[in-house]
Amino acid sequence: MRVALVNPAWSFDHSIYFGCREAHLPLELGYSKALLEQGGHEVLMLDGALDGLSNAEMAERVAAFAPTMTVLTTAPTYLFWRCAQPELRVPREFLAALDGRGGRTVAVGPHGSTTPAPTLSKLGVDLVVRGECEEIVAKLADGGALDDMPALAFHRDGDLVVTGGPHAARFTDLPALSWPVEWLQRHPHHHHRYGTEPVGPGAEVEASRGCPYNCSFCAKIDFRDQYRRRDTAIILEEIDGLIAAGVRYVYFIDEIFLPRRDLLEALVERPIQFGVQTRIDLWKPDMLDLLGAAGCVSIEAGVESLTEEGRASLDKKCRMSTDDLADRLIHARRSVPFVQANLIAVAGDDADMVKAWREKLLAAGVWANDPVPLYPYPASPDYRRLWGEPDDRAWERAHEHYLGQFERLSDIQEDEPLPLTELEAACSCR
Ligand code: SF4
């Protein structure tokens, strides 16, 4: 089968989108391509940012390829599925330009994983894949009855058919990915690295997927939930390929990069630096020293609240005191040049305490952000606590709640975020 895989050309005007807007490698499409090619299928993989193409230009390339199936992601790479933009404006723009010339259309991503019905109708695609997508995309290409495949949603005779819940891939043995050289050359971005000029291309890699915790705000119930570790030999094969292609920095997109001695010791010997997101309470001082020696130059650690009650209200299951967390962050900073403690705005925050804590950490070289507001993503426990299981208005409801909750939005977002219905109606193509 001929299969087109598309990461559209993103824009986030008036969006509440929290994620980084630089170009990143679309890992979910990379894995899909690898599995499809293992199955003997022919693949065209396009990425708006990395190919330097608009949605209309990508649609023309896809139409010229004449695929039997076109797979489109609704969020810019796995890295951002947990903080995806709520609106489906951009994927819809690509599909409108494609105008039925891509064969069967399939949407993958966080939106359809949690709310398949509105994703099908907003996008007008033939199928939605729920959950982690690469194995299901490969199954679809291999053929067979849709009803016999897991994790799909589609319409038949006007009725919604959902063949099962969101899919969790095996993940551990997903093959080492290699990327087009021109994509790496268009990827100078070193994700979440600060305080230095990036040298050489950056890349994103996955060492583990999911997380054993269930923090109330974390939008991973329907994808990337259960914790799995990828085989170390495969990770190293992928990183060695990236190094050979000139990459000098990789960002591990893992929800939680847990201490892993074999991988870190192998990285000590390699000419590569890297960044991680993790929980500092899970790292002992000697493992933090090894993390720095292995080449880690960026840690983003979720502290979230400065009180034990605040952390408990977010279900952090953190066993450390706030002072111990600060000490551990400061210890990490001895060998890692950029360490960030993430804080979330929690009702009842003591502004003076937050200010003093931030100043204490800053004096030790650790960055702590101004607490940011939470968005109750439909795939998070917070959403379900507020409103129950997500229904067809879940994204609209979360959006209205969020816009109504805060006077000031995080400085990484657009100044004037619009209601979701307006944002999606603003699509110029329909
Ligand atoms: S520890 Fe991090 S990844 Fe895990 S549930 Fe909490 S916020 Fe999500």
Side-chain angles (χ1 to χ4, degrees), residues 82 211-215 217-218 220 255-256 279 304 316:
R82 288 184 304 138
C211 171
Y213 292 89
N214 296 292
C215 302
F217 53 89
C218 188
K220 68 176 182 63
E255 278 71 17
I256 184 165
R279 289 176 56 136
E304 327 304 4
K316 281 293 288 183

Side-chain angles (χ1 to χ4, degrees), residues 4-8 29 70-74 90-92 94-95 106-109 123 125:
L5 304 172
V6 177
N7 189 22
L29 300 189
T70 296
V71 178
L72 173 73
T73 181
T74 67
V90 168
R92 202 173 64 177
F94 167 79
L95 289 162
V106 180
V108 302
L123 293 178
V125 287

